[in-house]
Amino acid sequence: MADLALVQRFPGWTVLVWKKDKLQALPLPDAACPMGGEALFYRLRQAAPRAVCRLSHRRLRPRWGFVFCLLAAAGLLFLNSQFLGMVGQGFQLIQIPDSASGAHIALAYNRHTGQFSLPGQAPFPYPAVGDLKLQWQSDACCAVTYQTTDGNIRVELLDGTDGQPPRLDPDPPTGRWQQYLELSDAGITLRWDEEGQCYHLFTQDGESVYHQWQQFDGLGLALCDDRGLPQWTLTPDTRPLPNTDSDGPVLLLCPVTLDKNGLCIPLYACTAPAAPETDTAPPVFTDTIDVCVNENGVFFTWDDGISVQQALTAAQCQYYGIESEADLEPLVLRWDVAAFLTRADGQVWAYTTTDQGQTWQAASLTEGASQAEVTDLCLSFTGRGLGFAAVSTQDRESGEIQVGIYTSADGGVSWSAVNTPAPQNDSLRPLNGLIFYDGAAGLASMESGSGSPWPHVFATEDCGQTWEEVAMPFADSGQTSATRLVEFFFDEYDWVAIFTQEPAAPREITFKGSMPSGPWTYAATHASN
């Protein structure tokens, strides 16, 4: 209140004029004051005894009254008011202060058009209905969330009229940002994909990829879905770094929602740990995500070799018989999970990490020594951290085939067996392909035991509890054989399954279907990569 210079009362309006770094004024209609204009005038007169308080019974004219008021109060021929031109019937002015920084913003609402705007500036891009959600994201930066007339939720990031909000550098931000938690859970992670020019956001609900975002002149940005609707806002801030006394850069991640309980989550810039000390030069990676096997062990990277995480030591590699990257197949290598299977002494072990190599979980899929020889291994992980593995064995004496399918719901910490598919008119053979698209839908391929050039194909839609043999139209491709399933996913309209002919021929056969269980139709044949 110390900077308040004039309180001018007109019928239906109260005009506040103050001067700090520059002259500013706020015409406030009675409709915007819950206590009423008269009560506001007398309260301000008591709270700001140094301000000039004038009471006029003459009605303020929309065009000239406001200008006359400012000129009379300031005695200046020039004034810098953000609110000039906003005086008139049908407007409601809303002022939102930030008690922490002293900054504030003012919004003008036009009751006739249903649009919000900054006083004296163009309205927001979309007509609004209902109430606003006003949330100060950081010092002098306010997020205004509102519902548009078409029922969608939009957001604007506004700069406070006082204070200096931090700015994104660079804009848009790059690198990897992560929520800090005391527990082993890695929390929420945001990663900028330079190659794909998109953001990957990992939450408890899984992975979301954002190819669209809206920028707000360095104040922040809004991550938008494929329809262009904002889902999250990112605004810069500076906070004490975890377990340190120094401040560091922070991105505040806030859901775009009208729910008043939506909380902002601070994401801290991830610093790469030092590479493990070795007697030789560290492995060199050509891709952003990669794996390397050398005489010192097994190493993974998620940032093009800037940081290297060791999964197995040289002694462990010798025990499992791992001499090259090919010995890690089957291998899952994603941003949210990496996993591979090893075998030794009749056992199969699954190694899994869900925090980009910071910690690894090792679990046995088969218990105890066995006389059976492992013939085929399959491994698949979905975006929600659900894992599926298949182990096919053959008894060295009797030649009996056994197939086990296992699933993990905790990122590879523990595994449990599920049902195994079996062909209707053939003997059980090794399972050589297993891919799950999500936690429910999966496809599997099995060698034929009857001399057929085509594999058996099975589908599940209940996490592997039940399997249905699929009539895949291999003959429609015009090819003479297929070996196993190599890809299974859902595009914009269809399920897609791809089978390889390797090692017999370097070609891939693609089929499309309406459901995992079919019907399927032949789509194309291409050379293998």
Side-chain angles (χ1 to χ4, degrees):
M1 292 296 179
D3 299 323
L4 190 62
L6 170 68
V7 180
Q8 176 70 58
R9 173 68 183 161
F10 295 95
W13 291 87
T14 302
V15 180
L16 310 181
V17 179
W18 67 96
K19 188 178 186 304
K20 193 174 182 181
D21 298 327
K22 58 183 179 181
L23 186 66
Q24 293 182 333
L26 174 64
L28 195 64
D30 288 353
C33 305
M35 68 183 67
E38 293 288 344
L40 175 65
F41 174 78
Y42 289 107
R43 288 193 180 187
L44 289 174
R45 189 166 65 175
Q46 295 176 355
R50 295 184 179 181
V52 177
C53 297
R54 296 177 179 174
L55 182 62
S56 174
H57 298 286
R58 183 177 180 181
R59 183 170 299 276
L60 178 65
R61 294 183 179 179
R63 178 174 299 180
W64 301 109
F66 180 41
V67 177
F68 175 79
C69 168
L70 295 181
L71 292 175
L76 300 175
L77 297 178
F78 175 80
L79 55 87
N80 181 10
S81 173
Q82 301 179 33
F83 311 102
L84 186 61
M86 296 307 298
V87 180
Q89 297 298 324
F91 284 103
Q92 179 179 354
L93 291 172
I94 307 170
Q95 187 178 14
I96 307 100
D98 177 24
S99 58
S101 66
H104 71 274
I105 64 169
L107 299 177
Y109 177 63
N110 189 327
R111 296 171 182 167
H112 299 303
T113 64
Q115 288 188 312
F116 286 89
S117 65
L118 287 172
Q121 298 183 15
F124 286 0
Y126 304 96
V129 294
D131 296 331
L132 296 173
K133 178 186 175 183
L134 306 166
Q135 185 176 15
W136 286 93
Q137 309 289 77
S138 59
D139 183 20
C141 175
C142 185
V144 181
T145 307
Y146 59 100
Q147 184 177 9
T148 59
T149 53
D150 57 8
N152 293 320
I153 303 299
R154 300 281 181 174
V155 68
E156 293 290 321
L157 297 180
L158 302 179
D159 192 348
T161 57
D162 297 321
Q164 295 295 327
R167 301 279 172 169
L168 290 174
D169 185 20
D171 182 18
T174 58
R176 188 162 66 95
W177 304 77
Q178 194 166 11
Q179 179 187 15
Y180 175 76
L181 296 177
E182 296 262 346
L183 305 177
S184 59
D185 186 2
I188 294 176
T189 300
L190 177 74
R191 178 183 64 81
W192 166 251
D193 184 350
E194 183 66 29
E195 181 178 357
Q197 293 293 296
C198 60
Y199 285 99
H200 295 256
L201 180 64
F202 302 94
T203 66
Q204 294 180 349
D205 297 327
E207 176 185 0
S208 300
V209 181
Y210 295 98
H211 296 273
Q212 300 184 43
W213 53 87
Q214 182 180 359
Q215 294 173 260
F216 297 93
D217 191 27
L219 286 175
L221 56 84
L223 300 177
C224 303
D225 61 15
D226 294 338
R227 298 181 298 162
L229 296 176
Q231 305 293 305
W232 302 85
T233 60
L234 288 173
T235 51
D237 200 0
T238 301
R239 296 191 179 191
L241 297 176
N243 301 322
T244 68
D245 296 329
S246 60
D247 292 343
V250 169
L251 288 180
L252 291 181
L253 178 72
C254 302
V256 178
T257 173
L258 289 173
D259 184 1
K260 302 298 184 181
N261 296 322
L263 298 178
C264 294
I265 302 167
L267 302 181
Y268 296 87
C270 296
T271 56
E277 295 183 1
T278 61
D279 297 334
T280 60
V284 178
F285 302 97
T286 57
D287 298 325
T288 303
I289 313 177
D290 208 345
V291 61
C292 176
V293 178
N294 62 21
E295 62 271 22
N296 297 299
V298 177
F299 301 89
F300 286 79
T301 183
W302 279 264
D303 52 16
D304 202 15
I306 298 176
S307 63
V308 178
Q309 288 75 40
Q310 187 169 19
L312 296 179
T313 64
Q316 289 174 312
C317 288
Q318 184 178 4
Y319 174 72
Y320 291 123
I322 298 175
E323 298 179 351
S324 67
E325 288 84 347
D327 296 324
L328 296 178
E329 297 291 343
L331 171 68
V332 173
L333 191 51
R334 302 158 46 112
W335 280 102
D336 57 335
V337 62
F340 58 91
L341 300 180
T342 62
R343 64 185 87 178
D345 297 335
Q347 297 188 63
V348 175
W349 293 79
Y351 279 81
T352 311
T353 178
T354 56
D355 55 9
Q356 298 188 342
Q358 303 303 314
T359 58
W360 288 86
Q361 294 79 42
S364 175
L365 300 182
T366 57
E367 297 181 0
S370 172
Q371 297 298 320
E373 177 183 0
V374 177
T375 61
D376 288 86
L377 294 174
C378 301
L379 184 62
S380 175
F381 267 84
T382 73
R384 292 182 291 174
L386 297 177
F388 298 86
V391 179
S392 300
T393 60
Q394 184 175 19
D395 190 273
R396 292 185 176 91
E397 297 181 356
S398 65
E400 181 184 3
I401 301 293
Q402 295 289 335
V403 178
I405 297 182
Y406 308 88
T407 181
S408 174
D410 52 14
V413 175
S414 61
W415 296 80
S416 58
V418 296
N419 292 329
T420 301
Q424 297 179 357
N425 301 314
D426 200 355
S427 59
L428 185 68
R429 300 293 296 171
L431 202 69
N432 59 13
L434 177 68
I435 302 176
F436 275 78
Y437 174 76
D438 53 21
L443 215 62
S445 63
M446 179 179 290
E447 296 179 9
S448 173
S450 60
S452 170
W454 313 113
H456 295 284
V457 181
F458 305 91
T460 180
E461 296 180 15
D462 56 6
C463 307
Q465 299 303 316
T466 60
W467 294 88
E468 179 181 352
E469 189 164 3
V470 175
M472 193 68 67
F474 288 106
D476 293 348
S477 66
Q479 302 298 305
T480 58
S481 66
T483 307
R484 61 185 176 88
L485 175 74
V486 291
E487 288 192 54
F488 171 60
F489 58 91
F490 185 78
D491 64 11
E492 188 175 359
Y493 303 103
D494 304 290
W495 291 95
V496 178
I498 302 178
F499 295 81
T500 183
Q501 293 180 323
E502 293 180 346
R507 287 184 292 271
E508 292 180 342
I509 309 173
T510 302
F511 299 89
K512 292 188 176 182
S514 57
M515 297 289 290
S517 57
W520 291 87
T521 58
Y522 167 71
T525 300
H526 300 285
S528 301
N529 295 329

